[in-house]
Amino acid sequence: MSNLKLRHPSDDQLLHFADGELPPPQAGEIRNHLTACWQCRTELEEIERTIGECVRYRKTVLETCLPPPPAPWFDIYRHLDSIDESQRLHQRAGRVLEWLRAALHHPRRWVPATVILLLIAMAVQQFRQAPSVKAAEMLHKAIAAADSKPHMPRRIQIRTHSQRLTRLIGNTRALVKTNPDADSLAGLESMFRAAHYSWEDPLSAKSYSEWRDQLPDKHDEVTSEGDRYRLRTTTDSGELMEATLKLTSRELRAVEGTLQFRNRQWVEISELPPEPAPAASAPETVETAPTLPPQASTLKPAPEVTTGEELQVLAALHRLGADLGDPVEVTRSAGQILVTGTGIAPGRQREIRDELRAMPRVTVRFSEPSAEALAPEGRSPGVISVSPTNSRLQTELEKQLGGRAAFEQFADDVFEMTDAFMSRAHALHRLAERFPTDLEAQMTPPQRQLLKRLRREHAEALLRHVVDVQGRMHPLLTGLGESAGATEVTTPSDSWQDATDQLFDEARRAETMLVAMLGNGDGQSQELPAQVAASLAQLRDRAEFYNGLTRGR
């Protein structure tokens, strides 16, 4: 298939796509084709329905009616491997005995050879221990260098997949984080304490050394990266499976670290520059201004910011993708448009400033993380972990997917796609709230066209992500005997703002159902798969209806 845009995929290709056997580029082409082709989507659903019927037939008829086998199948290959292995052992033993007989008859030959072998073994053992000795020595020097200097408060940033926080080490000042969820912060601290890694000062050679010293087994690597040394320690014991620490080559100061936990969570820690000291207040000067006529001394208030100017700023942020996940807010303030951001990387700050530089009456201000939420209000966390306890439903899902690891990977993929369509749903919801019908009526035709284009791009992306989630979940739901039935989309009022509210509610409902099915091991009902299938079908129909609405208005 050279070009799926010109012709439909064959039945074999659809079958391989349903089984997940196509290479990623070809699978992506078929997925894009399915987004716009009802005929192929219907054929794919029929294939998956047929597969589901075969699975149910085997479970309900063959497994229940056929008698059990009289004995387990005999693995002949394992038996043959054991025979080959025993023969190899006999051959090795024979060669060793022959070598010993020859050595006993010629002692002048084997004594030097034995000494050489012992020296080689000692050299290998010393070489294997060299990284550990070098790591311990470097950490000892780094701790001594840190103790020799006055302890000054310093700022560090701790970042995970779902949150980012800034801490001031060496001061009683409380940490400031970008996610107000206290439970997630407590969970992060508990992970550190369970791994016996210091939560009070996580970015230091002392904390790294204390964790490393208590490990019964470990493997160290020491490398040089430019002006920094990189220490990496892996272990098979404890909750923390891998840790890295970067030290400056001159001062041996810890500037960056990474922790990999056994529950597949990761934490990145980096040093932040010190906060700039407050500028000294300039001496107060008094100048005598010339007396002006009353009409000349009267200042005219700045004109109000127009809706079109605000829309242009939102369109510029949309071009950068800063209206999806970046903590950027746009507000009107005293005749200007204020663009603020919290905890944004310096490179991203430059991109936003450069994009908005040519726009008049736009002020850009960035700051370090504050107590404000990184995600929009009401938005679910970006990462949802799978519950460690299994319900009956999750046990069945693990059987279908091939084990616990495959289930967790599947859940992570679905949650990532869910977060993608929720980002678009939140972006559309913000547009509907920012530009109600009365404000939209005051726009010029070009401004309404720009707003329509923003809505259309978000709506098309949302539909693609919903189709991806539904396609990923469909084989699993079919294996459970569930399929999406007919749905009916109620027509909202004449405004696209009301249609956006309904689409947002459907997206939130589908997200909640998916989290309940894949991320929560307790209290799951057997009706949950049917509810998930119905919710995804309803969301897809709603998204398709909304897409038609954005093209028509």
Side-chain angles (χ1 to χ4, degrees):
M1 180 179 60
S2 60
N3 192 351
L4 288 176
K5 297 180 179 179
L6 299 180
R7 61 187 182 91
H8 301 287
S10 64
D11 292 342
D12 289 341
Q13 291 171 329
L14 289 177
L15 179 59
H16 288 305
F17 176 78
D19 289 338
E21 298 177 354
L22 291 178
Q26 193 172 0
E29 291 181 2
I30 292 181
R31 187 178 298 109
N32 294 334
H33 179 83
L34 292 173
T35 303
C37 182
W38 280 99
Q39 176 183 342
C40 292
R41 284 204 300 268
T42 304
E43 293 179 2
L44 179 62
E45 291 174 358
E46 291 178 356
I47 292 174
E48 293 172 340
R49 190 178 303 110
T50 302
I51 295 174
E53 292 294 334
C54 292
V55 173
R56 283 194 294 274
Y57 174 78
R58 187 179 66 179
K59 288 186 176 182
T60 58
V61 178
L62 294 182
E63 294 182 0
T64 58
C65 297
L66 291 179
W73 285 100
F74 180 71
D75 190 353
I76 187 173
Y77 295 104
R78 183 178 300 176
H79 183 62
L80 293 176
D81 291 340
S82 64
I83 294 175
D84 294 339
E85 183 64 25
S86 63
Q87 291 179 351
R88 284 193 293 268
L89 290 176
H90 286 304
Q91 293 174 356
R92 293 194 194 105
R95 286 195 295 267
V96 171
L97 289 175
E98 292 177 1
W99 184 83
L100 288 176
R101 292 193 194 100
L104 291 175
H105 287 86
H106 303 85
R108 292 182 179 180
R109 296 180 181 178
W110 64 264
V111 170
T114 304
V115 173
I116 293 174
L117 290 175
L118 289 175
L119 292 175
I120 293 175
M122 294 172 61
V124 170
Q125 182 67 15
Q126 184 177 4
F127 177 78
R128 296 175 64 180
Q129 292 180 350
S132 296
V133 174
K134 187 175 182 180
E137 181 182 359
M138 186 172 295
L139 288 171
H140 179 72
K141 292 181 178 179
I143 295 172
D147 292 341
S148 64
K149 298 178 181 179
H151 293 278
M152 300 294 293
R154 63 193 185 107
R155 296 190 309 149
I156 64 172
Q157 183 181 87
I158 301 177
R159 189 172 72 89
T160 67
H161 192 64
S162 60
Q163 60 183 352
R164 185 190 299 116
L165 58 90
T166 298
R167 295 185 60 188
L168 191 64
I169 303 300
N171 195 300
T172 57
R173 174 177 157 187
L175 61 87
V176 179
K177 55 193 175 79
T178 62
N179 193 332
D181 187 359
D183 294 336
S184 61
L185 180 61
L188 182 61
E189 181 178 355
S190 65
M191 284 169 48
F192 273 72
R193 300 199 183 282
H196 303 289
Y197 202 100
S198 174
W199 171 252
E200 285 72 22
D201 189 9
L203 187 60
S204 67
K206 182 178 181 181
S207 299
Y208 190 96
S209 179
E210 290 176 350
W211 165 77
R212 177 184 171 277
D213 291 342
Q214 53 91 30
L215 297 176
D217 61 289
K218 54 184 173 288
H219 175 72
D220 294 312
E221 295 179 6
V222 180
T223 56
S224 178
E225 299 179 354
D227 60 344
R228 296 181 180 181
Y229 293 113
R230 180 178 180 270
L231 281 69
R232 177 174 177 265
T233 303
T234 57
T235 178
D236 293 329
S237 59
E239 297 297 323
L240 187 58
M241 60 185 295
E242 178 182 325
T244 62
L245 184 68
K246 290 186 178 181
L247 305 171
T248 59
S249 57
R250 175 173 294 184
E251 300 175 349
L252 294 181
R253 187 180 76 256
V255 293
E256 187 177 336
T258 304
L259 307 178
Q260 295 280 349
F261 293 87
R262 295 199 184 278
N263 61 357
R264 303 176 63 188
Q265 297 288 338
W266 55 266
V267 177
E268 291 181 352
I269 311 171
S270 57
E271 185 181 52
L272 293 176
E275 291 181 331
S281 56
E284 184 175 342
T285 59
V286 179
E287 297 182 1
T288 303
T291 303
L292 298 176
Q295 62 273 16
S297 61
T298 303
L299 297 177
K300 295 182 179 180
E304 290 293 331
V305 175
T306 64
T307 304
E309 290 174 316
E310 183 179 6
L311 185 60
Q312 290 292 339
V313 172
L314 296 176
L317 295 175
H318 175 70
R319 287 193 295 270
L320 295 175
D323 56 345
L324 294 178
D326 291 306
V328 177
E329 295 293 334
V330 179
T331 56
R332 300 188 188 187
S333 175
Q336 65 176 348
I337 300 175
L338 187 61
V339 179
T340 58
T342 307
I344 300 177
R348 189 63 165 166
Q349 292 183 19
R350 287 192 296 272
E351 291 179 357
I352 296 175
R353 291 184 186 276
D354 292 342
E355 188 71 21
L356 302 177
R357 192 180 308 278
M359 295 187 178
R361 298 203 295 174
V362 175
T363 302
V364 182
R365 295 175 184 171
F366 294 117
S367 61
E368 287 302 320
S370 64
E372 298 175 356
L374 178 62
E377 183 179 357
R379 181 169 179 181
S380 302
V383 167
I384 307 166
S385 58
V386 177
S387 172
T389 59
N390 274 19
S391 64
R392 292 179 57 188
L393 177 58
Q394 284 195 359
T395 302
E396 181 65 24
L397 295 177
E398 290 181 10
K399 290 181 181 179
Q400 287 200 39
L401 294 170
R404 179 71 177 180
F407 169 71
E408 291 182 352
Q409 182 60 49
F410 177 88
D412 289 343
D413 294 342
V414 172
F415 290 148
E416 185 175 352
M417 290 186 286
T418 303
D419 190 63
F421 75 66
M422 284 305 303
S423 298
R424 300 291 180 170
H426 278 284
L428 287 169
H429 194 242
R430 287 192 295 269
L431 288 178
E433 290 181 337
R434 190 178 293 272
F435 302 107
T437 53
D438 56 342
L439 197 59
E440 184 183 13
Q442 303 173 11
M443 293 182 177
T444 63
Q447 292 171 357
R448 284 195 290 269
Q449 285 297 322
L450 177 58
L451 179 60
K452 179 181 177 180
R453 180 174 63 81
L454 296 180
R455 288 164 32 217
R456 184 176 64 251
E457 292 178 1
H458 284 307
E460 291 174 351
L462 184 146
L463 178 58
R464 288 196 302 269
H465 295 315
V466 171
V467 170
D468 289 343
V469 174
Q470 192 178 34
R472 197 83 166 88
M473 291 292 299
H474 189 72
L476 189 66
L477 295 172
T478 304
L480 296 174
E482 303 296 341
S483 60
T487 59
E488 181 179 355
V489 178
T490 57
T491 304
S493 62
D494 293 336
S495 68
W496 64 267
Q497 290 86 349
D498 291 339
T500 302
D501 291 338
Q502 294 193 8
L503 177 64
F504 181 75
D505 292 340
E506 289 288 351
R508 290 294 299 273
R509 187 177 300 109
E511 180 192 33
T512 302
M513 291 293 180
L514 289 168
V515 172
M517 180 175 177
L518 300 178
N520 183 12
D522 301 325
Q524 292 178 333
S525 65
Q526 295 301 315
E527 292 79 17
L528 192 54
Q531 296 172 352
V532 170
S535 179
L536 287 176
Q538 183 73 14
L539 175 58
R540 178 169 177 170
D541 289 346
R542 178 73 63 185
E544 290 176 345
F545 174 83
Y546 190 87
N547 263 266
L549 192 66
T550 56
R551 295 189 186 98
R553 297 183 183 180

